Amino acid sequence: MRLDDFGQSDNIRDRRGEGGARMGGGGAGLLFLLVRLVASRFGIGGVVVLGLGFFALSAIGINPLSMGTSAPQASRSIDRSYDQLVGAVLLSTEQTFSEVFREEGLGDYPEPTLNLFSGGVNTRGCGFASSAVGPFYCPADREVYLDTSFFDELSRRFGAPGDFAQAYVIAHEVGHHIQTVTGISQQVRQLQARAGSEAESNAYLVRLELMADCLAGVWAGRTEIPLDPGDIEEALRAASAIGDDTLQRKAQGRVVPDSFTHGTSEQRQRWFTIGYQAKDISACDTMSAERL
Ligand SMILES: [Zn+2]
């Protein structure tokens, strides 16, 4: 992406350095509990995350102090190297989805606030969350939460480097915002509540997540940020790296399809591509799609 002449969103709230919820050695057990709490809410769709539940749990199992990131505790000074990217990508999603909402007769697009945090954050609507859960969207307060140290992790641990991999992560969370303001998330939560089994409930969640990937693709197809060769491949590599099957294979050596909550690597890539090519949110109807 070439960000030099692109503007910045006004909707970034910088909450780094608030010092809240930073945990030292003694906090590991508490941290584990909190992550489990958040992870257990996946099933009811309380917090919509990027798909790292398994990974966060396993990472803590291996190293309780890692918080699921590779950032050393001592170097927790505020990292501003991603600020321009976050501001530009958020602005671009505002432009794109304002346009899309007008075209679709959905009225004014309510721009979400994006909170930058470091280590952990007390959200307005979803309680406390540790960075270990990865970037997430809180439907209750309609805000995006991002610790940019995840981008380093995405690059080093998940093997998905590059600015457009990072842009995809932001656009995916914005996708959850669109699902929330259009009422889709709530419908899916109702379907989940009526589901006869956990596997069925998870299957609805997978459709919701793949829709967010597709919406991220729509943004990628329409953004006015000039792209570089290889940018789309970076996003696809990220989508693949955080597929349920890939994460589970990495974390536990085997794959349990009934427990999927975000879709396979192949599905995540596929729906990003569908949105990217169609540039149209009506292509993103994963709820009624026969093939995911
Ligand atoms: Zn998600």
Side-chain angles (χ1 to χ4, degrees), residues 13 73 127 130 152 158 161 178 185 228-229 253 262-263 272 288:
R13 188 185 299 137
Q73 296 285 321
S130 153
D152 299 325
F158 295 102
I178 288 156
S185 301
D228 293 316
H262 289 71
F272 178 85
S288 53

Side-chain angles (χ1 to χ4, degrees), residues 123-154:
T123 69
R124 287 200 302 122
C126 292
F128 171 80
S130 153
S131 294
V133 301
F136 66 96
Y137 177 76
C138 171
D141 59 31
R142 302 191 167 189
E143 296 184 3
V144 176
Y145 293 85
L146 173 68
D147 180 341
T148 56
S149 69
F150 175 75
F151 292 154
D152 299 325
E153 200 180 348
L154 191 62

Side-chain angles (χ1 to χ4, degrees), residues 48-51 172-173 176 209 212 262 268:
V48 196
V49 301
L50 196 67
H172 173 98
E173 299 308 335
H176 286 312
E209 290 296 333
H262 289 71
R268 299 196 75 162

Side-chain angles (χ1 to χ4, degrees), residues 9 39 61 63 76 89 92 97 115 120 146 165-166 174 186 199-200 202 216 224 226 254 262 266 274 277:
S9 169
N63 177 3
R76 270 274 157 74
V89 170
S92 175
F97 289 114
N115 297 273
L146 173 68
Q166 297 148 14
V174 170
Q186 213 187 343
E200 193 192 330
N202 287 343
E224 285 171 16
R254 66 198 173 88
H262 289 71
E266 191 269 333
I274 287 172
Q277 289 173 346

